[in-house]
Amino acid sequence: MPKITAARVIVTSPGRNFVTLKIETTDGVHGVGDATLNGRELAVASYLTDHVVPMLIGRDAHAIEDIWQYLYKGAYWRRGPVTMAAIAAVDTALWDIKAKIAGLPLYQLLGGASRTGVMVYGHANGATIEETLENAAVYAENGYKAIRLQSGVPGLKSVYGVSKDRFVYEPADGDLPTESLWSTEKYLRSVAPLFEAARDRLGWDVHLLHDVHHRLTPIEAGRLGKDLEPYRPFWMEDAVPAENQASFRIIRQHTTTPLAVGEVFNSIWDCKQLIEEQLIDYIRTTIVHAGGVTHLRKIASFADLHHVRTGCHGATDLSPVCMAAALHFDLSIPNFGIQEYMRHTEATDEVFPHAYSFHDGMLHPGEVVGLGVDIDEAEAAKYPYKRAYLPIARREDGSMHDW
Ligand code: CS2
Ligand code: MG
């Protein structure tokens, strides 16, 4: 029985902050788990170091479900992004260890491969429609089967999802939150023309996606969904803030555009009604923010009963450790939909050497035992933590808007 001998949190910032948990066992086998919570990284690092690690030492590393329940039920204070990211890190590291000891890539322990690869979507963005479509064409030439389109909005200086750099998008851009101006009216006028031009330029064989980033009300989202219907988007993401799950009923009544939501959800309870009432088409929870492989499998199985497919969050703030785990999960489950893929910087890839690879619009986790990803601690030590926040948005009258 491999026992946990040590567990350590490693914080590194190769271009952006990442929090990684490394668990060691009596067998000499170690595992890694991502615990990064964008803009609140040190809260999870402390939760792990101060409150979780002392309880792990000496436990059976194979008892993944029991340790999950112990950390979830035993805390008394359930759910929330900090708690669930910490549990996810432990869970992911333990799956890594179990798969390494079994001598198998993780997806084999999850039931084996259900598909040959994982379809991903890349991010095309630009200040203008023209620039966005130039970038989208590059993605299409590079084999991407699905592309997310975000364009600057005429009359607004900056918009989320539109980066300063063409291909590396890093939203956490200030040591205090930067502020941008938002106008729903201007935004709503800009999206359908983008999609119309995209179909003209890119044709109909590529999937096109769009992220609303929680900026609309249900009736506004219904309108946007309707406007986009002629261009058959793959999905409209995070149309409204989703604390009120019933609000998706209104969107559903007005549009057949598929709906995706869930990158900020932490547990099955955040999407129970959305899934049960079939108010969404894609659930975007991923490993690090929704309790690890163990809990994500539960969400996916529940979603499968209700015709909901997965579309795991995969922005740059999800470390390569999370990406590797997500790919094993994606490859194995029956109701996989799509995986978001934003390339990390070279420095990040050096800190986290990994076996997953991109080919012809698909990612594959590789055949290395475990997750197929590790942290190079000497490399990681070169990049100390740097405080960074996500931006905020204000309306034209100065009041706060949803981000
Ligand atoms: C976005 C993210 O990838 C997405 O869909 O919504 O860029 C998101 O803003 C960040 O991951 C937040 O940490
Ligand atoms: Mg999003």
Side-chain angles (χ1 to χ4, degrees):
M1 210 67 82
K3 284 207 178 343
I4 298 173
T5 52
R8 234 155 359 96
V9 173
I10 303 153
V11 181
T12 180
S13 191
R16 69 147 6 273
N17 294 315
F18 294 110
V19 179
T20 308
L21 179 70
K22 181 168 175 176
I23 297 183
E24 288 165 14
T25 65
T26 42
D27 288 32
V29 175
H30 74 269
V32 287
D34 183 19
T36 309
L37 185 62
N38 206 358
R40 298 292 186 272
E41 294 87 357
L42 299 184
V44 190
S46 158
Y47 190 106
L48 281 166
T49 305
D50 298 326
H51 304 294
V52 172
V53 168
M55 297 191 290
L56 291 179
I57 309 303
R59 278 180 194 283
D60 171 9
H62 275 332
I64 299 179
E65 182 68 38
D66 185 62
I67 291 178
W68 196 98
Q69 300 291 337
Y70 180 82
L71 295 175
Y72 183 81
K73 294 177 177 161
Y76 187 62
W77 312 105
R78 298 185 185 195
R79 308 189 282 146
V82 175
T83 298
M84 295 306 279
I87 295 177
V90 175
D91 184 79
T92 309
L94 294 180
W95 277 107
D96 190 18
I97 289 167
K98 193 187 276 294
K100 280 179 179 167
I101 292 175
L104 294 168
L106 174 62
Y107 75 82
Q108 295 291 10
L109 296 195
L110 305 180
S114 290
R115 53 191 51 78
T116 53
V118 168
M119 179 171 73
V120 300
Y121 68 92
H123 284 215
N125 58 76
T128 60
I129 291 180
E130 195 42 43
E131 209 177 289
T132 305
L133 297 185
E134 287 291 317
N135 291 346
V138 176
Y139 279 98
E141 280 157 27
N142 283 310
Y144 280 78
K145 301 176 194 311
I147 306 169
R148 184 183 104 159
L149 301 175
Q150 308 292 141
S151 191
V153 174
L156 297 184
K157 222 173 114 217
S158 66
V159 185
Y160 69 93
V162 178
S163 57
K164 289 157 201 131
D165 183 292
R166 273 179 55 172
F167 294 104
V168 179
Y169 168 54
E170 184 42 74
D173 62 359
D175 70 345
L176 285 175
T178 57
E179 304 207 357
S180 63
L181 198 65
W182 178 252
S183 156
T184 296
E185 296 72 23
K186 291 188 173 94
Y187 165 72
L188 279 179
R189 285 199 297 271
S190 73
V191 194
L194 167 66
F195 272 70
E196 186 182 9
R199 283 300 178 206
D200 279 350
R201 170 94 188 246
L202 304 167
W204 293 84
D205 288 335
V206 62
H207 297 302
L208 300 179
L209 295 80
H210 183 68
D211 188 354
V212 181
H213 228 276
H214 324 271
R215 301 264 169 130
L216 299 178
T217 64
I219 202 67
E220 290 163 351
R223 158 58 59 206
L224 178 59
K226 234 175 180 166
D227 289 350
L228 293 180
E229 279 171 24
Y231 315 110
R232 300 286 190 273
F234 185 90
W235 78 31
M236 176 166 75
E237 175 185 334
D238 288 346
V240 300
E243 287 94 329
N244 180 356
Q245 298 181 39
S247 62
F248 275 72
R249 288 191 195 132
I250 299 171
I251 311 176
R252 264 295 200 236
Q253 281 159 13
H254 292 284
T255 181
T256 56
T257 289
L259 304 176
V261 71
E263 64 181 47
V264 302
F265 295 174
N266 318 123
S267 85
I268 197 162
W269 303 103
D270 296 329
C271 47
K272 181 173 174 287
Q273 186 183 2
L274 290 170
I275 291 173
E276 228 162 31
E277 291 188 29
Q278 304 186 23
L279 300 177
I280 55 169
D281 302 280
Y282 296 92
I283 180 69
R284 281 184 42 73
T285 42
T286 195
I287 305 284
V288 53
H289 298 140
V293 177
T294 297
H295 196 63
L296 207 61
R297 288 176 89 201
K298 192 175 274 184
I299 295 176
S301 297
F302 180 57
D304 193 28
L305 299 182
H306 301 279
H307 307 285
V308 175
R309 290 188 281 162
T310 64
C312 285
H313 189 199
T316 40
D317 49 304
L318 296 307
S319 92
V321 176
C322 176
M323 178 56 87
L327 292 174
H328 287 278
F329 166 82
D330 294 340
L331 198 71
S332 67
I333 57 166
N335 56 325
F336 166 75
I338 199 166
Q339 167 71 51
E340 181 178 13
Y341 179 41
M342 282 169 85
R343 282 175 195 273
H344 288 111
T345 59
E346 268 174 40
T348 298
D349 287 340
E350 277 162 25
V351 170
F352 297 99
H354 53 260
Y356 60 79
S357 59
F358 175 85
H359 179 68
D360 202 20
M362 319 275 264
L363 277 172
H364 194 285
E367 298 298 339
V368 173
V369 298
L371 292 174
V373 64
D374 212 339
I375 183 162
D376 180 330
E377 292 193 56
E379 275 299 309
K382 292 184 190 163
Y383 306 102
Y385 168 78
K386 203 167 159 246
R387 192 179 68 207
Y389 288 98
L390 288 165
I392 59 109
R394 290 190 188 277
R395 303 181 194 112
E396 285 167 310
D397 68 358
S399 56
M400 280 285 288
H401 197 66
D402 295 294
W403 151 260

